[in-house]
Amino acid sequence: MIKVKLVGATGYGGVGLIELLLRHPEIEITTLIAASETGKPISHFYPHLAGLCDKMVYAADAHEAEGEADVVVYSTPDGIGMQLAPEEVKKGRKILDYSGDFRFNSTELYAEYATRQGLDTDHKAPELLQDSVYGLAELHRAEIADATVVGNPGCYAVACILGLAPAAREKMIENGKIICDGKTGISGAGKKPKPGFHYPEAYDNTYAYKLAGHQHVMEVERELSLLAGSDIKTTFTPQVIPMARGILATLYGTLPQGVTQEKVLAAYTDFYKDSPFVRVSDSPSSTGHVRGSNFVNLTVACDERTGTLRIISHIDNLIKGQAGSALQNLNIMFGFDEMTGLNLPGAHP
Amino acid sequence: MIKVKLVGATGYGGVGLIELLLRHPEIEITTLIAASETGKPISHFYPHLAGLCDKMVYAADAHEAEGEADVVVYSTPDGIGMQLAPEEVKKGRKILDYSGDFRFNSTELYAEYATRQGLDTDHKAPELLQDSVYGLAELHRAEIADATVVGNPGCYAVACILGLAPAAREKMIENGKIICDGKTGISGAGKKPKPGFHYPEAYDNTYAYKLAGHQHVMEVERELSLLAGSDIKTTFTPQVIPMARGILATLYGTLPQGVTQEKVLAAYTDFYKDSPFVRVSDSPSSTGHVRGSNFVNLTVACDERTGTLRIISHIDNLIKGQAGSALQNLNIMFGFDEMTGLNLPGAHP
Amino acid sequence: MIKVKLVGATGYGGVGLIELLLRHPEIEITTLIAASETGKPISHFYPHLAGLCDKMVYAADAHEAEGEADVVVYSTPDGIGMQLAPEEVKKGRKILDYSGDFRFNSTELYAEYATRQGLDTDHKAPELLQDSVYGLAELHRAEIADATVVGNPGCYAVACILGLAPAAREKMIENGKIICDGKTGISGAGKKPKPGFHYPEAYDNTYAYKLAGHQHVMEVERELSLLAGSDIKTTFTPQVIPMARGILATLYGTLPQGVTQEKVLAAYTDFYKDSPFVRVSDSPSSTGHVRGSNFVNLTVACDERTGTLRIISHIDNLIKGQAGSALQNLNIMFGFDEMTGLNLPGAHP
Amino acid sequence: MIKVKLVGATGYGGVGLIELLLRHPEIEITTLIAASETGKPISHFYPHLAGLCDKMVYAADAHEAEGEADVVVYSTPDGIGMQLAPEEVKKGRKILDYSGDFRFNSTELYAEYATRQGLDTDHKAPELLQDSVYGLAELHRAEIADATVVGNPGCYAVACILGLAPAAREKMIENGKIICDGKTGISGAGKKPKPGFHYPEAYDNTYAYKLAGHQHVMEVERELSLLAGSDIKTTFTPQVIPMARGILATLYGTLPQGVTQEKVLAAYTDFYKDSPFVRVSDSPSSTGHVRGSNFVNLTVACDERTGTLRIISHIDNLIKGQAGSALQNLNIMFGFDEMTGLNLPGAHP
């Protein structure tokens, strides 16, 4: 059994991985670490786990925090993983980090990201950053397999990049500009209560936020530009809708002359033919169809009347957008079939 | 008191007008007509009205259906108003229709609309159609004041047209193309239960629909093209989100060289300076801020980095998108201040 | 115009009263006071009020806080009203308080309440307490009309007391014991975000709380015992359900020998024949039927097979359970018809 | 592998079993039958299953409907299973039925049930009925292991019976009367859209229904009376709350003299010590803690002040209340550990 030490166990991203690993035959969690909710079993903080996972949660400086581990997963905010990872790597452990710490494999790109986020621009582990791999399996399977350090992608970024990757590579985006109109469930903001997420404020309500720039834009532009071989600029409008789980990203670009809906559909089908979690179609889908699972449903729905490339991308923000991608990466990093423990549907309805 | 006969009283559009008129000092409802739910007081079908409005609902062919009326309001699907209106007009009554019957004041345009909708292309009241007025008060106040027949606009159309009218008139939309990414609450589909609106299917779920073309696109293109003096083509993506009430329309275009966020904001502020229901801002808003009221909140949020005009338009689909616009039109048609009975907030939360 | 100074303007209880008074012809708000959200217009904190109520919110110690007022309304937690009211009464102002401060018109009862709540048992304004009136208009109309100080009832208490008052007075509750199974929307907890009210935690979830005793039980027992002329003991189970607004209280007792559903229904109909906001029926209703309004819907549904008195009580917790009862009381205190400004339905759906 | 033929595959109860069996190592579905949605893969009707279960759905009279099977599961309304089961039993197949057809193992009791439900009182398979077993594993494990025909319990019945079984057996219910105040998510009504379940009607709303008697009461009374050795009469108030999944049943009785909270808690803990899916506690829980899983959370919360036995029972109505109990029964019928395929949590949040 591959052993996982999970840092940041008591957030939604942490508990999501715990849930998934409870059904995995080859990977187990050995050690749970958290910042503030410690000293009690994880099932105290998440009672749905009672009897299924009652492991103790320890503080990072507890002596039990050392743990046994083949890999350390950081389900933590920006800035934690890069501080703690070097010591773990010295012990021969692999690293998977959920934050922006290892999504940009150069100190220059990281500094740009940090600037946008108002963070310290100095990366704390530049030597690890250099060889880190962006953990979007559908684009970087081979590098992930060989990586020591993997940076798990942002939830919106997963929906946007997978939604536009084939179009970018096949030059189906005219003039290098795309629009991403994103709608997210509220769990994307984590478990900390805030005024806008208070049930009476959030129900029957929807609103846009971070109009000046969202932290995932840079990943999207980097990955799509790499695929296109030229700059792709993104206008991104994140919006909160009254759901707990799910992202719907409606993606728009200008179709080059002669590119039809049919050609786009064919390109997408081909691009993802070996990606078992991506379901391409020209029919409407819904976030309900991917809720609770690691699937990505892409609807190709170009508007030929107006010459518009239009792709609708559906994921569960906490699975394919977070813990599911993490497990998919772990599977690849340790040589298991990438669907292991993930080839299951969510519960409907 | 101005007297209203309401046809289609038992749908959401009808009951919405009843609610609003209960607080209007100058307009009263005298007669309620419906297709199937008849023979009982309206409060039987909508018990929240018990003790406040207990008027009988009659079938259109009941002898009580004649009623006393200065105006007949058709809160009915396409095709009803145009059949019944001519006889009412002969009696000297004005007409306000919620459907597409009187939104296009030429038989040619109507035929195009009917074709797209799969309806009979022959208009049944061409003489009324000729002089009918599109009932979006912010654009057609003066004509509405003089009109005999007013076609109330579609809910999405209200959000899109008001969201882009200043930009269209001021030539702030490059290359004549816009994207409207619309999110609607489920009441927009009316009160008839359908599988996609069944609570267990609709909760925690979102999806796009009518990707091949929505019935409101034609109104949007007609009005915006008129304002721009040139063709404006719209890519429209309607999406259902788990709300009962509200529309959020995120509107995108390409900014012409030299047009900045500041200039756009100034143009919008100026355009709506005499429109009391339109609140223009450069701050984020929410559908919650307009829920239960006739207000339109417009956020001007251009993305100068990518050269993108971006406007976020918020309405209550059942008020400004339907019964509220209807009452605003009635106020104008009968010479009252357009805010009469409408200068109230919804209830928060 | 009667002038109101509102203390605690920025909570749900305060904003609820602002909304209601915007449609009242005889009562106006002159001064808004809050503890922390001050120095800006109320429409800054509640943007749905923009253009409708843009009054400044002041701190209690600002010089503008004196204000002009015929009555001061405290929409504040326990302990505030009793400290500030005496000085206002000296100025000849009446008092309406939303908290437990003036619900028990004796220092002994207050001390018992305070003990249960873990509050200081010394009342700060015993001379006002002595003559204060419990503000449930259906039971205490005449005393409210003459009162200087009125204690607005708790939201659950309104639902339970009105649901059982006729049965209590008519000796239709065997053995002095009742069960109140209460379900509340989350707005009942106020606007402060907490973990259990975070949207992702609260949606699709329901749970009981305060099983050791809820603060409203004492009001319920006091009022029902007074009506019955003997002790009535209440087992109360408060439960949170995923709604913003509304309380459904299902009330159970044992029917005395010979008391039938028919007799209970007749007793209820008679008891409330002069109470315009109470709608008695033997048909199922819903919180939706009272949402946004000051009505109370009572369904009499005894189970004769098991000899059980069963009443289902429906209110909007923020209207009849709070701001609506407050306005009903203000109407009575100042000699207006008690329905003034309140004879309106909510918006459906 | 044990082979299952599933009749009624396209309802929520059917798809729930499909989801669960996808993760079961020893039981597989071979044949899917439905009444109207046929001729296409199950993933056409439930797209979340695409790529995971794409089996064809056949009509009952299709020649493929014969199938290979060790057991036939009827996820069908009353009256179907009893007609089709006899022929299957002749082939040596076991039967599990979700409806009331096999919950009462005598024709007299069935006739009483049928009368209450307005059904034909003649049972169509009396010889099977005679030996059928009530499929509530916690009470009838041994008989289920030996049964040919098992009648899966009603969802409310599971919550109520498990919530009161220890109290009934231990004589902790005075005077033979209990109150069950039930709150259910809307999926309990199945997938067929109806007016009260239309999203705009069901959101932010709650209401009681079937006040004259619910079909599950008879099961509850039968099982509890058997345990108590004397008649237990139930007043049952079913209520719909705006959730998709979950049942919260708040159960009340009168405590006999001398029975304390402590004794009740001890009795419950002991009663369920060998039932791995029942979690007993004296702390509040929530339906969220059991959502997506087969667990039952019971909170023992007696009110000693009023002498009231109070138990709060939480289940997922579609898992422990339906498909999960079904799988637990299948495990027992075929000799697997009863937790096989069920020892997993739902996804949080």
Side-chain angles (χ1 to χ4, degrees):
Chain A
M1 294 287 277
I2 296 299
K3 291 175 174 26
V4 173
K5 169 173 160 181
L6 175 60
V7 184
T10 60
Y12 287 161
V15 78
L17 189 60
I18 294 171
E19 290 166 359
L20 292 176
L21 289 179
L22 281 172
R23 55 196 204 193
H24 198 289
E26 308 284 357
I27 306 181
E28 66 178 347
I29 290 188
T30 54
T31 312
L32 299 176
I33 308 294
S36 57
E37 297 173 310
T38 59
K40 292 191 170 153
I42 184 70
S43 52
H44 173 82
F45 305 109
Y46 287 98
H48 72 300
L49 298 175
L52 300 168
C53 180
D54 298 300
K55 281 186 186 296
M56 214 63 175
V57 183
Y58 295 107
D61 57 3
H63 74 95
E64 296 93 339
E66 166 64 19
E68 274 190 282
D70 300 296
V71 56
V72 183
V73 176
Y74 293 96
S75 172
T76 44
D78 281 328
I80 308 295
M82 67 166 91
Q83 286 187 35
L84 301 177
E87 196 176 349
E88 301 284 3
V89 170
K90 281 185 204 143
K91 296 174 193 158
R93 296 167 173 184
K94 296 189 184 226
I95 303 294
L96 178 75
D97 184 282
Y98 280 28
S99 80
D101 283 12
F102 294 107
R103 288 181 194 157
F104 307 97
N105 58 347
S106 88
T107 50
E108 291 73 22
L109 279 173
Y110 180 77
E112 188 184 332
Y113 170 79
T115 302
R116 292 194 191 185
Q117 297 303 107
L119 301 168
D120 179 355
T121 56
D122 279 347
H123 198 280
K124 299 298 173 293
E127 68 293 353
L128 296 183
L129 181 64
Q130 220 57 34
D131 297 327
S132 69
V133 173
Y134 187 67
L136 192 49
E138 283 73 14
L139 300 183
H140 301 290
R141 230 172 239 113
E143 300 126 282
I144 293 166
D146 292 338
T148 297
V149 178
V150 172
N152 217 43
C155 53
Y156 267 129
V158 171
C160 295
I161 296 169
L162 294 181
L164 287 172
R169 199 187 64 183
E170 301 304 321
K171 317 284 186 214
M172 290 171 158
I173 301 171
E174 189 72 12
N175 77 34
K177 283 169 57 170
I178 57 165
I179 286 167
C180 170
D181 192 278
K183 300 93 184 167
T184 186
I186 297 172
S187 65
K191 77 167 185 176
K192 196 173 169 199
K194 290 186 189 157
F197 311 140
H198 188 45
Y199 187 93
E201 302 294 327
Y203 97 107
D204 217 45
N205 193 9
T206 182
Y207 52 90
Y209 65 104
K210 292 197 185 173
L211 292 169
H214 188 282
Q215 66 270 24
H216 296 165
V217 167
M218 200 171 138
E219 293 166 54
V220 172
E221 295 189 341
R222 202 262 314 258
E223 292 291 310
L224 294 182
S225 298
L226 277 173
L227 283 158
S230 60
D231 262 18
I232 301 268
K233 281 215 153 31
T234 301
T235 301
F236 179 35
T237 311
Q239 286 146 118
V240 167
I241 64 175
M243 301 199 306
R245 303 175 84 105
I247 283 179
L248 182 82
T250 315
L251 306 161
Y252 303 93
T254 301
L255 285 172
Q257 200 69 26
V259 177
T260 60
Q261 157 77 5
E262 194 183 357
K263 287 183 185 170
V264 176
L265 181 61
Y268 274 67
T269 305
D270 181 65
F271 190 97
Y272 289 118
K273 64 179 186 295
D274 298 322
S275 287
F277 291 116
V278 184
R279 300 189 281 213
V280 174
S281 164
D282 58 353
S283 303
S285 182
S286 79
T287 56
H289 294 166
V290 297
R291 190 158 140 270
S293 84
N294 199 50
F295 287 85
V296 184
N297 279 15
L298 299 181
T299 298
V300 177
C302 298
D303 185 345
E304 296 188 352
R305 190 179 72 98
T306 61
T308 305
L309 172 76
R310 181 171 55 180
I311 309 293
I312 307 171
S313 179
H314 313 73
I315 63 166
D316 183 319
N317 60 304
L318 294 178
I319 313 262
K320 185 59 184 169
Q322 196 170 54
S325 269
L327 177 50
Q328 192 178 353
N329 286 329
L330 291 176
N331 280 334
I332 295 170
M333 291 164 84
F334 290 96
F336 306 120
D337 183 284
E338 79 186 72
M339 290 196 93
T340 310
L342 288 169
N343 58 345
L344 288 167
H348 182 93
Chain B
M1 294 287 277
I2 295 299
K3 290 174 175 26
V4 173
K5 170 173 158 181
L6 174 60
V7 184
T10 60
Y12 287 162
V15 79
L17 189 61
I18 293 171
E19 290 166 359
L20 292 175
L21 288 179
L22 281 172
R23 56 195 203 192
H24 198 288
E26 308 283 358
I27 306 180
E28 66 178 347
I29 290 188
T30 55
T31 311
L32 299 176
I33 309 293
S36 58
E37 296 172 311
T38 61
K40 292 192 171 151
I42 184 70
S43 52
H44 173 84
F45 305 111
Y46 288 97
H48 72 301
L49 297 175
L52 301 168
C53 180
D54 298 300
K55 281 185 185 298
M56 213 64 175
V57 183
Y58 294 108
D61 58 3
H63 74 96
E64 296 92 340
E66 167 65 19
E68 275 189 280
D70 300 296
V71 57
V72 183
V73 175
Y74 293 96
S75 172
T76 43
D78 281 329
I80 308 295
M82 68 165 91
Q83 286 187 36
L84 302 176
E87 198 176 349
E88 301 284 3
V89 170
K90 281 184 204 144
K91 296 173 192 158
R93 296 167 172 183
K94 296 189 184 227
I95 303 294
L96 179 74
D97 184 281
Y98 280 28
S99 80
D101 283 12
F102 294 107
R103 288 181 193 156
F104 307 98
N105 59 346
S106 89
T107 49
E108 291 74 22
L109 279 173
Y110 180 78
E112 187 184 332
Y113 169 79
T115 302
R116 291 194 192 185
Q117 297 303 107
L119 302 168
D120 179 357
T121 56
D122 280 347
H123 199 280
K124 299 298 175 291
E127 68 293 350
L128 296 183
L129 181 64
Q130 220 56 36
D131 297 326
S132 69
V133 173
Y134 187 67
L136 192 49
E138 283 72 14
L139 299 183
H140 301 290
R141 230 172 239 113
E143 301 125 282
I144 293 166
D146 291 338
T148 298
V149 179
V150 172
N152 218 43
C155 52
Y156 268 129
V158 171
C160 295
I161 297 170
L162 294 180
L164 288 172
R169 199 186 65 185
E170 301 304 323
K171 318 282 186 216
M172 290 172 156
I173 301 171
E174 189 72 12
N175 77 33
K177 283 170 57 172
I178 56 166
I179 286 168
C180 169
D181 191 279
K183 300 92 184 167
T184 186
I186 297 171
S187 65
K191 78 166 183 176
K192 197 174 167 196
K194 290 186 189 157
F197 311 140
H198 188 46
Y199 187 93
E201 301 295 327
Y203 98 108
D204 216 45
N205 194 7
T206 182
Y207 52 91
Y209 65 104
K210 292 196 186 174
L211 293 169
H214 188 281
Q215 66 270 23
H216 295 164
V217 167
M218 201 173 137
E219 293 166 55
V220 173
E221 295 189 341
R222 201 265 311 261
E223 292 291 311
L224 295 181
S225 298
L226 277 173
L227 283 158
S230 61
D231 262 19
I232 301 268
K233 281 214 153 30
T234 301
T235 300
F236 180 35
T237 312
Q239 284 145 120
V240 167
I241 64 175
M243 301 199 306
R245 303 175 83 105
I247 283 179
L248 181 83
T250 314
L251 306 160
Y252 303 93
T254 301
L255 286 172
Q257 199 69 25
V259 177
T260 60
Q261 157 77 5
E262 193 184 357
K263 287 183 185 170
V264 176
L265 181 61
Y268 273 67
T269 305
D270 182 66
F271 191 97
Y272 289 118
K273 64 179 186 296
D274 298 321
S275 286
F277 291 116
V278 184
R279 301 190 280 213
V280 173
S281 163
D282 58 354
S283 303
S285 183
S286 78
T287 56
H289 295 166
V290 297
R291 190 158 140 271
S293 85
N294 199 50
F295 286 86
V296 184
N297 280 14
L298 298 180
T299 299
V300 177
C302 299
D303 185 345
E304 297 188 353
R305 188 178 72 98
T306 61
T308 305
L309 173 76
R310 180 171 55 179
I311 310 293
I312 307 171
S313 178
H314 313 73
I315 63 167
D316 183 320
N317 61 305
L318 294 179
I319 313 260
K320 184 60 183 170
Q322 196 171 55
S325 270
L327 177 49
Q328 192 178 353
N329 286 329
L330 290 176
N331 279 335
I332 294 170
M333 290 164 83
F334 290 97
F336 306 120
D337 182 286
E338 79 186 74
M339 291 195 93
T340 311
L342 287 168
N343 58 345
L344 288 168
H348 183 94
Chain C
M1 295 286 276
I2 295 299
K3 290 173 174 28
V4 173
K5 169 172 160 180
L6 175 59
V7 184
T10 59
Y12 286 161
V15 79
L17 189 61
I18 294 170
E19 290 166 0
L20 291 175
L21 288 179
L22 281 172
R23 57 195 203 193
H24 198 290
E26 309 283 358
I27 307 181
E28 66 178 347
I29 290 187
T30 55
T31 311
L32 299 176
I33 308 293
S36 57
E37 296 172 311
T38 62
K40 292 193 170 152
I42 184 71
S43 52
H44 173 82
F45 305 110
Y46 287 98
H48 72 300
L49 297 176
L52 300 168
C53 179
D54 299 299
K55 281 184 184 299
M56 213 62 175
V57 183
Y58 295 108
D61 58 3
H63 75 94
E64 297 92 340
E66 166 66 20
E68 275 189 281
D70 300 296
V71 57
V72 183
V73 176
Y74 294 96
S75 172
T76 43
D78 282 328
I80 308 295
M82 67 165 92
Q83 286 186 36
L84 301 177
E87 198 176 347
E88 301 284 3
V89 170
K90 281 183 204 143
K91 295 173 192 158
R93 296 167 172 183
K94 295 189 185 228
I95 303 294
L96 178 74
D97 185 281
Y98 280 27
S99 79
D101 283 14
F102 294 107
R103 287 183 194 156
F104 307 98
N105 58 347
S106 89
T107 48
E108 291 74 22
L109 278 173
Y110 180 77
E112 187 184 332
Y113 170 78
T115 302
R116 290 195 193 185
Q117 297 304 107
L119 301 169
D120 179 356
T121 56
D122 280 346
H123 198 280
K124 299 299 175 292
E127 67 294 350
L128 295 183
L129 180 64
Q130 219 58 36
D131 297 326
S132 68
V133 173
Y134 187 66
L136 192 50
E138 283 72 14
L139 299 184
H140 301 290
R141 231 173 238 113
E143 301 126 281
I144 293 166
D146 293 338
T148 298
V149 178
V150 172
N152 219 42
C155 53
Y156 267 129
V158 171
C160 295
I161 297 170
L162 294 180
L164 288 172
R169 198 185 66 183
E170 302 304 322
K171 318 284 186 213
M172 290 170 157
I173 300 171
E174 188 72 13
N175 77 33
K177 283 170 57 171
I178 56 165
I179 286 168
C180 170
D181 192 278
K183 300 93 185 168
T184 187
I186 297 172
S187 65
K191 77 167 183 176
K192 195 172 169 197
K194 290 185 189 159
F197 310 140
H198 188 46
Y199 187 93
E201 301 294 327
Y203 98 108
D204 217 45
N205 193 8
T206 182
Y207 52 91
Y209 65 103
K210 292 196 186 174
L211 292 170
H214 188 281
Q215 66 270 24
H216 295 165
V217 167
M218 201 172 137
E219 293 167 52
V220 173
E221 295 189 341
R222 201 264 313 260
E223 291 292 309
L224 294 181
S225 299
L226 277 173
L227 284 159
S230 60
D231 262 20
I232 301 268
K233 282 214 152 34
T234 300
T235 301
F236 180 34
T237 311
Q239 286 146 117
V240 167
I241 64 176
M243 302 199 305
R245 302 174 84 105
I247 284 179
L248 181 82
T250 314
L251 306 160
Y252 303 93
T254 300
L255 285 172
Q257 198 69 26
V259 177
T260 60
Q261 157 77 4
E262 194 183 358
K263 287 183 185 171
V264 175
L265 181 61
Y268 274 67
T269 305
D270 182 67
F271 190 97
Y272 289 118
K273 64 178 185 296
D274 298 322
S275 287
F277 291 117
V278 184
R279 300 190 281 213
V280 174
S281 164
D282 58 353
S283 302
S285 183
S286 78
T287 57
H289 294 167
V290 296
R291 191 158 140 270
S293 84
N294 200 50
F295 287 85
V296 184
N297 279 15
L298 298 181
T299 299
V300 177
C302 298
D303 185 345
E304 297 189 352
R305 188 178 72 98
T306 60
T308 306
L309 172 76
R310 181 171 56 181
I311 309 293
I312 307 171
S313 179
H314 313 72
I315 63 167
D316 184 319
N317 61 304
L318 294 178
I319 314 261
K320 185 59 184 170
Q322 196 170 56
S325 270
L327 178 49
Q328 192 178 353
N329 286 329
L330 291 176
N331 280 334
I332 295 170
M333 290 163 84
F334 290 96
F336 306 121
D337 183 284
E338 79 186 72
M339 291 195 93
T340 312
L342 287 169
N343 57 345
L344 288 167
H348 182 93
Chain D
M1 294 285 277
I2 295 299
K3 291 175 174 26
V4 173
K5 169 173 160 182
L6 174 60
V7 184
T10 61
Y12 288 160
V15 78
L17 189 61
I18 294 170
E19 291 166 358
L20 291 176
L21 288 179
L22 281 172
R23 56 195 203 193
H24 198 289
E26 308 283 357
I27 306 180
E28 67 178 346
I29 290 188
T30 55
T31 311
L32 300 175
I33 308 294
S36 57
E37 297 173 310
T38 60
K40 292 192 170 152
I42 184 70
S43 52
H44 173 83
F45 305 110
Y46 288 97
H48 72 300
L49 297 177
L52 300 168
C53 179
D54 298 298
K55 280 185 186 298
M56 214 63 175
V57 183
Y58 295 108
D61 58 2
H63 73 95
E64 297 92 340
E66 166 67 19
E68 275 190 280
D70 300 296
V71 57
V72 184
V73 175
Y74 293 96
S75 172
T76 43
D78 282 328
I80 308 297
M82 67 165 91
Q83 286 186 36
L84 302 177
E87 198 176 346
E88 301 284 4
V89 171
K90 280 183 204 142
K91 295 174 192 158
R93 296 167 172 185
K94 296 187 184 227
I95 302 294
L96 179 74
D97 185 280
Y98 280 28
S99 79
D101 283 13
F102 294 107
R103 287 182 194 156
F104 307 98
N105 59 346
S106 88
T107 49
E108 292 74 23
L109 278 173
Y110 180 77
E112 188 183 333
Y113 169 79
T115 302
R116 291 194 192 186
Q117 297 304 106
L119 301 169
D120 180 356
T121 56
D122 279 348
H123 199 280
K124 299 299 175 291
E127 68 294 351
L128 295 183
L129 180 64
Q130 220 58 36
D131 297 325
S132 68
V133 173
Y134 187 65
L136 191 49
E138 283 73 13
L139 299 183
H140 301 289
R141 230 172 239 114
E143 301 125 283
I144 293 167
D146 292 338
T148 298
V149 178
V150 171
N152 219 41
C155 53
Y156 267 129
V158 170
C160 296
I161 297 169
L162 294 181
L164 288 172
R169 198 185 65 184
E170 302 303 322
K171 317 283 186 215
M172 290 171 157
I173 301 171
E174 189 72 12
N175 77 33
K177 283 170 57 172
I178 56 166
I179 287 168
C180 170
D181 193 277
K183 299 93 184 168
T184 186
I186 297 172
S187 65
K191 78 167 183 175
K192 199 175 164 195
K194 290 186 188 156
F197 311 139
H198 189 45
Y199 187 92
E201 301 294 328
Y203 98 108
D204 217 44
N205 194 7
T206 182
Y207 52 91
Y209 65 103
K210 292 196 186 173
L211 292 170
H214 188 283
Q215 66 271 22
H216 295 165
V217 167
M218 200 172 138
E219 292 166 55
V220 173
E221 295 190 341
R222 202 265 312 260
E223 291 292 310
L224 294 181
S225 298
L226 277 174
L227 284 159
S230 59
D231 261 20
I232 301 268
K233 280 214 154 29
T234 301
T235 300
F236 179 36
T237 311
Q239 285 146 119
V240 167
I241 63 174
M243 302 199 305
R245 302 175 84 106
I247 283 180
L248 181 82
T250 314
L251 306 161
Y252 304 94
T254 300
L255 285 172
Q257 200 67 27
V259 177
T260 60
Q261 159 76 5
E262 193 183 0
K263 287 182 184 170
V264 176
L265 181 61
Y268 274 65
T269 304
D270 181 66
F271 191 97
Y272 289 118
K273 63 178 186 298
D274 298 323
S275 286
F277 291 117
V278 184
R279 299 190 280 213
V280 173
S281 163
D282 58 353
S283 302
S285 182
S286 79
T287 57
H289 295 166
V290 297
R291 191 159 141 269
S293 84
N294 199 49
F295 287 85
V296 184
N297 280 14
L298 298 181
T299 299
V300 177
C302 298
D303 185 346
E304 297 189 352
R305 188 178 72 98
T306 60
T308 306
L309 172 76
R310 181 170 56 180
I311 310 293
I312 307 171
S313 178
H314 312 74
I315 64 167
D316 183 319
N317 60 305
L318 293 178
I319 313 261
K320 184 60 183 170
Q322 198 170 55
S325 270
L327 177 50
Q328 192 178 353
N329 287 329
L330 291 176
N331 280 334
I332 294 170
M333 290 164 84
F334 289 97
F336 305 121
D337 183 285
E338 80 185 75
M339 292 195 93
T340 311
L342 287 169
N343 57 345
L344 288 167
H348 184 93

